[in-house]
Amino acid sequence: MAGYHSVKDILTICSDEKLPIWKVIMEEDCIERQVVQSESFAGMRAMYTAMKQADKSYDSRLRSASGLAGGDGEKLHIYNMSDKKLCSDFTSLAMEKAVKMGESNACMRRIVAAPTAGSCGVIPAVFIAYEESFNVPEDRIVEAMFITAGIGAVIAENASIAGASGGCQAEIGSASAMAAAGLAYLAGGDNDCIVNAMAMALKNMLGLACDPVCGLVEVPCIKRNSAGAVNAIASAQMALAGIRSAIDPDEVIDTMRRIGNAMPAGLKETSEGGLAQTPSALKIKEKLEEI
Amino acid sequence: MNIFDIIGPVMVGPSSSHTAGAVRIGYISRKLMGEPVSKAQINLYGSFLATGKGHGTRKALVAGLLGMNTDDMRIPDSFEIAKEQGMEVHFGEARLKDAHPNTAQLILTGQSGRQLEVIGQSIGGARINIAQIDGIDTNFSGDYPTLVVHNLDQPGHVAEVTSMLSHKGVNIATMQLYRSNRGGEAVMVLECDQEIPEDGIRWLEKVEGVKKVTYLSIE
């Protein structure tokens, strides 16, 4: 485990050693895995490259084994190309990429778990859309990925990144908080701005249940990736505007843990509650069992 | 958790536990076998059995047995590839008591006729635990070079194994000992920081009282 165990630890190391957050995270990785900085950086770049490849290889004709997932990313793409879209180019693109990645995952394509497979669309959607829309050098995105990963490690240690133990707030919520921190950095936010973007994004996702229909990583997971991406953008923008979370970032993470513990088992990936037990879901289940 | 457990692994979807973890169980079993698998009886338990179809769990286990890793794009086509390579595969229900919800039991025959039975658990985030080998409880992740020695429960075998490792400059990370009963069958599982040279393994196989040596190389 790394030499930091909380958001506060990261910020303390930053101010003691006069280093940016991403570098603190990278240096800790070097110590932990006994690698040099160039290896650590190349490793993170490889993750981002794999995300971009997954984004590019989206195929709108694919359908998942259940037949429930596929083709929606293309619908968003066509709508985003029209002059009727509601969001900015950047936000529209992030939504579209998030749905596409979630669909690729459901259709057994290669993705990067970030932090999980079910939430794999949020972080690449925000970062790749940002790179394409704002034309920043790739190295900057890789730096943001370190921030994202370090925040994720703190969440994993103090709360959870698994739907089975913390509900969807631990998966899409964590991904959204991680993406918000990275995005705030990319848009020029200082350390305080970065951790507040994270805190606000996670707060907005607290309590989210993991209730997948038929236990599959499809409904409601895929569309929730777009919600996670848009929430990350909203939270980063609030933080960049100078808005601060009233609740300390580490306390927000601890709250996610407590809410996860208080959640009934039926809302933690068992498909015994929530959306998975609606008449619509049960009808889908019946149909699937015939296949 | 390391940051590359958070961002990563690169994997074929849709589920880190039901797809990537299943590939790992197959992959580690293939490595433990040490030779191509010609016949596999795959028994599923719990959630693997219940929701495995939609997650591609069966295809993932077969892909792993064929030597594919979690990011191999051929995972969805593993059944066809198994057929081409002459690997016979059968599926069934594992009859286990109080096992982990994501468990697979693999009963394997290698090309030389070597037999191996593995029970693997997918414990989340594509990480796995090998919970049983040939009917004896174990507990290892497959992330380290791992040596599994089946021997008679008699004095001296632990010393023989550890002095061989010391002689070869291999550091032991963890070590576990199990036995069926006093003086019966015993198993030791050693996770190491370095790879064990081939001649060390061959030497161990010839030691009196050692019944079977299984080695997991992560190279």
Side-chain angles (χ1 to χ4, degrees), chain B residues 7-217:
Chain B
I7 301 291
V10 180
M11 56 166 277
V12 167
S15 163
S16 55
S17 55
H18 286 67
T19 319
V23 173
R24 290 277 300 160
I25 291 172
Y27 181 79
I28 297 297
S29 301
R30 161 68 182 79
K31 286 259 187 180
L32 285 166
M33 176 59 98
E35 62 183 50
V37 174
S38 61
K39 201 173 153 192
Q41 170 70 41
I42 301 175
N43 298 326
L44 303 176
Y45 176 85
S47 177
F48 261 18
L49 185 68
T51 67
K53 261 191 188 148
H55 287 124
T57 303
R58 289 169 170 81
K59 287 177 185 169
L61 285 161
V62 171
L65 284 175
L66 289 165
M68 296 181 206
N69 217 333
T70 53
D71 63 345
D72 199 309
M73 299 283 266
R74 299 170 300 164
I75 291 169
D77 308 317
S78 68
F79 287 177
E80 290 75 26
I81 297 169
K83 211 173 263 173
E84 280 166 26
Q85 298 190 5
M87 185 170 106
E88 195 184 318
V89 183
H90 300 281
F91 289 99
E93 185 178 336
R95 291 176 211 289
L96 306 168
K97 260 195 280 175
D98 300 324
H100 185 279
N102 293 331
T103 299
Q105 176 187 42
L106 313 181
I107 302 166
L108 309 172
T109 308
Q111 272 180 358
S112 74
R114 185 182 166 99
Q115 303 279 321
L116 180 72
E117 188 185 323
V118 177
I119 291 185
Q121 308 166 330
S122 177
I123 57 175
R127 281 172 305 163
I128 64 161
N129 180 45
I130 300 297
Q132 221 180 72
I133 290 183
D134 293 327
I136 293 189
D137 289 348
T138 57
N139 179 23
F140 66 94
S141 64
D143 294 334
Y144 294 89
T146 306
L147 178 68
V148 183
V149 182
H150 286 66
N151 55 276
L152 291 174
D153 182 33
Q154 57 193 23
H157 290 314
V158 170
E160 284 162 357
V161 172
T162 54
S163 58
M164 181 275 284
L165 293 177
S166 150
H167 184 67
K168 300 285 180 195
V170 174
N171 188 51
I172 299 169
T174 72
M175 178 166 182
Q176 303 150 51
L177 299 170
Y178 308 89
R179 67 177 179 188
S180 55
N181 56 298
R182 190 170 179 167
E185 259 201 56
V187 171
M188 61 186 111
V189 179
L190 298 98
E191 292 181 298
C192 304
D193 289 330
Q194 293 85 21
E195 291 284 343
I196 304 171
E198 174 96 21
D199 59 336
I201 308 284
R202 297 286 89 84
W203 175 81
L204 257 186
E205 282 172 339
K206 294 192 191 86
V207 170
E208 184 273 324
V210 169
K211 301 179 73 177
K212 187 177 180 184
V213 179
T214 309
Y215 179 59
L216 168 69
S217 163

Side-chain angles (χ1 to χ4, degrees), chain A residues 1 4 25 29 32-33 40 43-44 47 50 105-106 108-115 117 145-146 149 152-153 156 178 214-217, chain B residues 1-19 51 53-57 59-60 70-73 75-76:
Chain A
M1 185 59 215
Y4 53 86
I25 311 285
D29 177 53
E32 197 183 341
R33 293 192 300 126
S40 180
M44 194 56 85
M47 291 298 136
N105 178 56
M108 293 192 85
R109 301 307 292 262
R110 183 158 64 194
I111 55 91
V112 182
M145 292 267 293
F146 275 102
M178 291 158 67
C214 304
L216 301 175
V217 194
Chain B
M1 259 192 242
N2 178 261
I3 53 171
F4 289 100
D5 293 322
I6 304 289
I7 301 291
V10 180
M11 56 166 277
V12 167
S15 163
S16 55
S17 55
H18 286 67
T19 319
T51 67
K53 261 191 188 148
H55 287 124
T57 303
K59 287 177 185 169
T70 53
D71 63 345
D72 199 309
M73 299 283 266
I75 291 169

Side-chain angles (χ1 to χ4, degrees), chain A residues 2-284:
Chain A
Y4 53 86
H5 303 278
S6 63
V7 174
K8 192 167 167 253
D9 281 355
I10 295 176
L11 294 180
T12 307
I13 301 172
C14 285
S15 66
D16 287 354
E17 299 186 12
K18 310 231 166 351
L19 287 174
I21 296 181
W22 73 267
K23 223 163 189 181
V24 167
I25 311 285
M26 185 176 74
E27 288 193 349
E28 290 293 336
D29 177 53
C30 292
I31 296 167
E32 197 183 341
R33 293 192 300 126
Q34 298 283 298
V35 295
V36 296
Q37 293 195 359
S38 58
E39 281 177 87
S40 180
F41 201 85
M44 194 56 85
R45 188 193 299 283
M47 291 298 136
Y48 186 53
T49 305
M51 285 175 173
K52 285 209 252 191
Q53 280 167 351
D55 175 57
K56 260 200 202 112
S57 70
Y58 174 72
D59 184 345
S60 63
R61 293 162 302 177
L62 287 178
R63 294 295 177 270
S64 64
S66 74
L68 289 172
D72 286 347
E74 185 63 17
K75 286 183 192 160
L76 261 177
H77 176 70
I78 291 165
Y79 191 78
N80 285 347
M81 290 292 109
S82 75
D83 52 9
K84 289 178 282 186
K85 66 174 188 284
L86 302 173
C87 309
S88 70
D89 288 350
F90 165 53
T91 307
S92 300
L93 193 57
M95 283 176 68
E96 175 187 322
K97 287 185 186 298
V99 170
K100 284 180 172 175
M101 193 71 81
E103 290 185 323
S104 292
N105 178 56
C107 298
M108 293 192 85
R109 301 307 292 262
R110 183 158 64 194
I111 55 91
V112 182
T116 60
S119 60
C120 71
V122 177
I123 291 164
V126 171
F127 287 173
I128 299 169
Y130 191 85
E131 191 189 357
E132 289 179 8
S133 305
F134 296 94
N135 212 6
V136 286
E138 192 185 77
D139 280 10
R140 283 274 293 170
I141 309 270
V142 178
E143 290 168 14
M145 292 267 293
F146 275 102
I147 298 176
T148 289
I151 293 289
V154 168
I155 296 174
E157 184 177 342
N158 296 290
S160 166
I161 53 165
S165 54
C168 189
Q169 58 168 3
E171 296 211 15
I172 295 287
S174 298
S176 188
M178 291 158 67
L183 181 58
Y185 169 74
L186 286 172
D190 62 11
N191 289 359
D192 189 49
C193 176
I194 291 168
V195 301
N196 272 277
M198 180 288 268
M200 288 188 277
L202 191 56
K203 275 158 69 184
N204 292 348
M205 291 273 167
L206 287 178
L208 204 57
C210 178
D211 48 0
V213 171
C214 304
L216 301 175
V217 194
E218 301 186 9
V219 180
C221 323
I222 294 170
K223 293 169 191 125
R224 245 178 224 171
N225 275 279
S226 77
V230 173
N231 177 52
I233 296 169
S235 304
Q237 184 148 319
M238 284 195 280
L240 290 159
I243 300 173
R244 291 294 173 261
S245 170
I247 311 295
D248 173 82
D250 285 314
E251 290 173 21
V252 175
I253 294 171
D254 187 63
T255 303
M256 196 254 268
R257 178 188 61 81
R258 284 185 290 113
I259 292 176
N261 289 345
M263 259 186 203
L267 301 180
K268 289 192 278 196
E269 218 181 302
T270 56
S271 300
E272 284 165 2
L275 292 170
Q277 288 298 318
T278 55
S280 310
L282 296 175
K283 226 181 269 169
I284 293 169

